[in-house]
Amino acid sequence: MLFRSVTVGVLVFAFRAPSAVDLENDHYMTMGWAQQVLFGAWPERDFVEPGMPLSYLLSAVVQVWSPGPFSEVVLTSVLMGVAAAATVRAGARLSGSWLIAVLAAAVSVALYPRLYSFPKALTPAVTVVLFDAYTRAPSKRRLRWLGVWLVVSALFRHDLGVYATGATLAGLVAFHWPDIRSWLRAVGAVVLGGSVVGVPYLAYVSWAVGIGEHVRRGVEFSKGEAHQLFDGLPPWSDVGRLDKDGAIAFLFFAAYALVPVILGLLVLRRSRHDRPARALACAMLTALVLFLPVILRHPVANRLSDLATVFAFGVAWILGQGLDAARTGWRSRSRLVGLVALGLALAFAGASGAAAWRLTGIDDRLDTMGVYAGWR
């Protein structure tokens, strides 16, 4: 499975880097902070940033190697490839099939997240992979590594750390329930691991500007985007249209529909889920629920791509449930129900992929790469 995941990651890098024709305006904000660091300025003390230090520090590192947008494209494309590899790994565990995992990852790639949004694709993918590793072979060491990653997620962007932590806590509840003491011990191990990275960062922020001032700056920055949190639903009548507006409407409602569908299947098929599988599904579902109200905001057409990873997880899990239902039916009626469930899941996945393709114009991206011009 590792080889397949790495192969997908390499292919995604090979797609994203050559197909990039420009960088979004917001990407230059990260590069601007990176330049400040390279000019000798100290983050927080000498310039204001809203709480995403790791994003611009990585940018600063590659700017030393090759100043300008090229190195930024390479860096973010590599990290998109890592996110895709982790998505395949986690998707295989969620669905029980590496082929389904690759199909789900293809949907996430078709959504074409903007390069500067790589943390939104990377953080939930790695979180689910590390959480799955713990549920398969519980140990304090794996919990400590998970804690380290949660803080790293917060350093990419503070709110992403909150979402990753929420998903982890929900998954740990499902895994340890009803033994609250073992859950508390697990949380303690996660906190201990996270403190290795979190405490030095907090100490630096306290020295540079103060924790209170850092929080105030982050809140003020967030206010600038508060008006985008909800700007009305896409017209329901657009769902059936075979154009960009139809793709936007379908993907928007499909993302929200995943939540009740996954919840319903968790209840209806609870006898088919062992403890690790149930915990993993709960972690995945929590990540989706936390992403939706904040990440999927105005303008919806641009923000749908930011859901690429969590949406792909939902697609993979539903396809896995449909495949399992089709396999396990031993009576004619139950087998028919299972086949119908698998057909519906495949139809949903196919429609999602087609909508993503229309929304992001993958044809144009492939043309930019020169794919249609042949091997030469």
Side-chain angles (χ1 to χ4, degrees), residues 351-363:
S352 298
W357 189 287
R358 292 197 303 273
L359 174 64
T360 56
I362 298 299
D363 276 337

Side-chain angles (χ1 to χ4, degrees), residues 48-83:
V48 177
E49 59 92 5
M52 50 185 74
L54 194 53
S55 296
Y56 62 79
L57 289 177
L58 286 175
S59 177
V61 170
V62 297
Q63 290 302 308
V64 172
W65 161 58
S66 175
F70 173 74
S71 60
E72 193 71 18
V73 169
V74 172
L75 169 67
T76 50
S77 296
V78 166
L79 293 172
M80 283 294 187
V82 174

Side-chain angles (χ1 to χ4, degrees), residues 141-164:
R141 179 177 60 86
R142 294 190 174 194
L143 284 172
R144 288 193 289 267
W145 278 113
L146 181 56
V148 169
W149 176 253
L150 296 181
V151 176
V152 169
S153 299
L155 295 181
F156 276 122
R157 215 177 88 169
H158 287 353
D159 63 327
L160 296 179
V162 173
Y163 309 149

